Amino acid sequence: MACLHDHSCEEHDCSSDWSLYKHIDLSKVSALNEAVSGSVKSVFRAWEHRLNSSEGHLESNEGDPELIVFIPFTSDVKIKSISVVGGADGTSPAKMRAFINREGIDFSDAQNMQPLQEWDLMENLQGDLEYQTRYSKFQSVGNITLHFSDNLGGDTTQIHYIGLKGEATQLKRDVVATIVYELMPNPSDHKTRSETGGGLSQVE
Amino acid sequence: MRNGDYSPNRFQAQADAVNLICGAKTQSNPENTVGVLTMAGKGVRVLVTPTSDLGKILACMHAAPEQTPGACAPLSLGARLSKTPRLGGYEARGPAPCLEIGGEMNLAAGIQVAQLALKHRQNKKQQQRIIVFAGSPVKYDKKVLELIGRKLKKNSVALDIVSFGEEDEEKNEKLEALLAAVNNNDSSHIVHVPSGPSALSDVLISTAIFTGDGEGGSGFAAAAAASGFEFGVDPNLDPELALALRVSMEEERARQEAAAKKAAEEASKQEKGEQQSTSQDATMTENVNPGTSEPEKKTHDLTDDENALLQQALAMSMDDSSSTVAVRDTDMSDASADDHDLQLDRFILPHQLPVDLFMVVEALCCLLENQTLYEHRSRLAIPLQLSVQESAAEQSNQTDVNKLLADQSFVSSILTSLPGVDPNDPHVKDLLASMQSQSEQSKEEDKTPKEEENKSSILYTVLRGVQAGGACNGI
């Protein structure tokens, strides 16, 4: 599915569409089976720099083409389409499977679970190809996990760029994080103002 | 695993090392969780699911190993951990099972079960790490181990291997291959611990397994190894305990010296050289100086030879085995002698202060501190109690008590050095007079129970007297 614009994609119009990278929580991006730990963060860039992988790219370990990329967002997003730029000589990924809003997916989970959507990828060295999603299913995405299960015959899998197109809502998925549940109240934890010696204590 | 090539035996050394590592991990980050599983015996078994509660882990490790009939090759322990940030706690359920020695170590299955348990951790943000204690031969092929290693690496699980036990080239090769397969960016380590005098735990403290995690691990390890204080008790935190321990050590030392002197006299008839005290403490190295055994007033400056005896008395009071005492020896050999932070520092006790008088003095002290004797006592450690009981059992002390109590000058010297007591106070003078008469009375009667009664009545009188005296002085 090529770009549906009637002009060439080098123009700046397209870049504003591919701006979901700004909403990615880069510090929490992680990948499994990457050769260089932390290299996954370098694949998220602006559209116009999609072919510029001077800062490094994501590569899987020798002899093992599988990769899992976990992408959390700073707020809920709607994803319209995904673009992936792979490496040359068969190192581009061939299959992509997506799971949303699940944390801690590893290879055994990914292989056993039914993905939300699956795509067969083609070599996309120029970054022209984008793969559309079933938009209704990708409406409130807090995080997305991409599992690249196979490549085009190479020893390793290389990914130079991952682009996400869509809209960001301002909503945040609220995670109940630091709540302590009490079975029984502990008076020392609930000092009133009178006990701590300040303020007016209210008697109702 | 029952071999003695690691002291006291391999299994115990391993258990100590596991406890140490678990403690270090749980302390280095409050959200760390640690679990334990065993690899041999009837099969791979998870003893503790990952928890941040160190108590559960220690309870499980403490369970005594039982002998299974016809047991052959040793047992190995695999410990698995999760690390860094975690929310909430995860409680292990059920009673702690016993640790049995027996069967063969199943390394591959152990690692795989550990990986599975880590996968189901509650907080997915935690990093995963497995620590393997391999004390037995490895029966798997190198290829199988490499495959497992690659799978761990792929799922970003780090692996630390502690290899001990028999020196085995093949085993080393296999473990090195496993490490090479797992290692990603130096996050995994291997340590070979040869058998020898130093404990497994001590060797581990200095390795990357502890220090590789960063700040927290090394801090805990340093604290665990040698606190640098005498007796491992910080006088700033618990001055009464430190004082009590010190005094009981001195008493014990005095007793030892008296015994040593007697033995030396006998021995000098047969051979030159001094005999040391009890055979139980054969591991202690002591340079007893008999010249210092006079009952004169001393300050709290302790030299190195005194340290040895102090530890001896401490060990005896704590009913420890001689091997652990030896460990404490090495740890405290460079402990500083001066300890002027004690509250009761200027309170000077003669060396041969018998126990009952010490109790009297103690009562005075706590009165002055406005505590009840019970409160004061309850803050003192068991060592003091035990040492009190032990030395109180000696007949020679009992007659001394009365003599000393009767010695008015002695008692008054004690009282003067107590803060807040004025010897010229009429109440205190009355008290001393009454004590003297009572002790004269007790001398006539020879029965022990009566003596005890009198002593306790003396104690009571002193208490009342000082209390009255204290009230007068506006304490």
Side-chain angles (χ1 to χ4, degrees), chain B residues 304-322:
Chain B
D304 274 334
D305 39 11
E306 287 179 271
N307 271 340
L309 275 169
L310 296 180
Q311 294 151 29
Q312 179 188 348
L314 180 64
M316 285 177 64
S317 348
M318 284 180 154
D319 272 350
D320 272 337
S321 65
S322 56

Side-chain angles (χ1 to χ4, degrees), chain B residues 375-441:
Chain B
E375 262 177 55
H376 186 78
R377 267 302 171 84
S378 63
R379 288 169 66 189
L380 293 180
I382 296 173
L384 175 61
Q385 306 286 356
L386 289 180
S387 70
V388 162
Q389 286 161 17
E390 271 183 51
S391 12
E394 300 206 14
Q395 284 297 319
S396 57
N397 280 340
Q398 289 191 347
T399 49
D400 286 2
V401 177
N402 294 325
K403 283 185 206 154
L404 283 167
L405 278 177
D407 187 356
Q408 187 168 3
S409 59
F410 175 73
V411 175
S412 60
S413 72
I414 294 280
L415 289 177
T416 42
S417 54
L418 280 179
V421 176
D422 183 9
N424 294 327
D425 196 301
H427 287 270
V428 178
K429 276 190 170 169
D430 288 341
L431 170 69
L432 288 177
S434 69
M435 273 175 52
Q436 199 170 20
S437 62
Q438 281 202 344
S439 61
E440 281 172 4
Q441 193 185 11

Side-chain angles (χ1 to χ4, degrees), chain B residues 99-122:
Chain B
L99 294 176
E100 300 171 347
I101 302 183
E104 281 186 349
M105 170 172 86
N106 189 345
L107 186 63
I111 293 181
Q112 284 169 330
V113 171
Q115 192 186 355
L116 196 65
L118 280 176
K119 179 173 144 159
H120 292 294
R121 63 196 184 284
Q122 270 212 321

Side-chain angles (χ1 to χ4, degrees), chain A residues 32-35 37 61 64 66 103-104 106-109 177, chain B residues 87-88 115 119 121 123-125 150 153-156 184-185:
Chain A
L32 289 182
N33 203 29
E34 51 180 348
S37 172
N61 281 317
D64 197 348
E66 286 193 74
E103 287 191 18
D106 68 354
F107 285 99
S108 49
D109 294 334
Chain B
L87 310 162
Q115 192 186 355
K119 179 173 144 159
R121 63 196 184 284
N123 181 2
K124 302 293 181 192
K125 291 194 176 72
R150 260 180 268 134
K153 182 174 178 182
K154 189 166 170 181
N155 286 301
S156 73
N184 183 5
N185 248 10

Side-chain angles (χ1 to χ4, degrees), chain B residues 139-156:
Chain B
K139 64 185 181 191
Y140 287 94
D141 282 342
K142 216 201 268 194
K143 292 240 168 26
V144 173
L145 292 178
E146 278 177 2
L147 207 63
I148 292 176
R150 260 180 268 134
K151 193 162 160 240
L152 287 178
K153 182 174 178 182
K154 189 166 170 181
N155 286 301
S156 73

Side-chain angles (χ1 to χ4, degrees), chain A:
Chain A
M1 289 160 273
C3 192
L4 298 174
H5 293 254
D6 53 6
H7 55 271
S8 74
C9 282
E10 276 83 27
E11 298 200 5
H12 66 275
D13 278 341
C14 284
S15 67
S16 56
D17 296 330
W18 294 93
S19 59
L20 271 186
Y21 74 94
K22 293 182 193 153
H23 299 273
I24 294 177
D25 191 350
L26 263 185
S27 60
K28 300 207 186 103
V29 169
S30 68
L32 289 182
N33 203 29
E34 51 180 348
V36 178
S37 172
S39 55
V40 62
K41 298 183 177 141
S42 60
V43 305
F44 301 103
R45 297 186 286 270
W47 169 259
E48 53 264 22
H49 301 301
R50 67 191 181 282
L51 299 176
N52 178 14
S53 44
S54 53
E55 272 148 44
H57 56 271
L58 174 63
E59 185 158 5
S60 70
N61 281 317
E62 277 287 318
D64 197 348
E66 286 193 74
L67 273 175
I68 287 184
V69 180
F70 173 69
I71 309 166
F73 297 98
T74 52
S75 63
D76 281 3
V77 298
K78 304 181 206 230
I79 301 182
K80 210 187 281 184
S81 55
I82 305 177
S83 172
V84 177
V85 174
D89 295 332
T91 57
S92 281
K95 273 183 103 60
M96 179 166 75
R97 305 158 87 229
F99 308 87
I100 64 168
N101 295 334
R102 303 256 330 221
E103 287 191 18
I105 294 184
D106 68 354
F107 285 99
S108 49
D109 294 334
Q111 276 148 14
N112 297 334
M113 287 186 343
Q114 195 64 276
L116 191 60
Q117 192 167 352
E118 234 180 303
W119 297 267
D120 290 322
L121 307 178
M122 293 191 289
E123 203 177 61
N124 181 17
L125 296 172
Q126 295 308 310
D128 300 332
L129 299 178
E130 67 181 82
Y131 301 93
Q132 284 187 348
T133 65
R134 280 184 220 130
Y135 198 44
S136 56
K137 297 199 180 166
F138 287 77
Q139 284 296 300
S140 62
V141 179
N143 56 63
I144 183 170
T145 305
L146 296 174
H147 173 215
F148 300 97
S149 49
D150 205 358
N151 66 3
L152 296 171
D155 217 14
T156 66
T157 300
Q158 289 180 10
I159 294 180
H160 293 259
Y161 170 75
I162 294 180
L164 300 168
K165 187 185 203 179
E167 279 169 27
T169 66
Q170 294 312 307
L171 304 168
K172 201 148 162 46
R173 284 183 85 77
D174 248 348
V175 178
V176 175
T178 49
I179 300 254
V180 175
Y181 295 98
E182 280 185 320
L183 275 182
M184 280 205 298
N186 184 0
S188 63
D189 285 343
H190 303 280
K191 286 201 162 15
T192 63
R193 272 178 299 168
S194 58
E195 283 172 46
T196 51
L200 304 166
S201 68
Q202 276 198 312
V203 179
E204 298 187 23

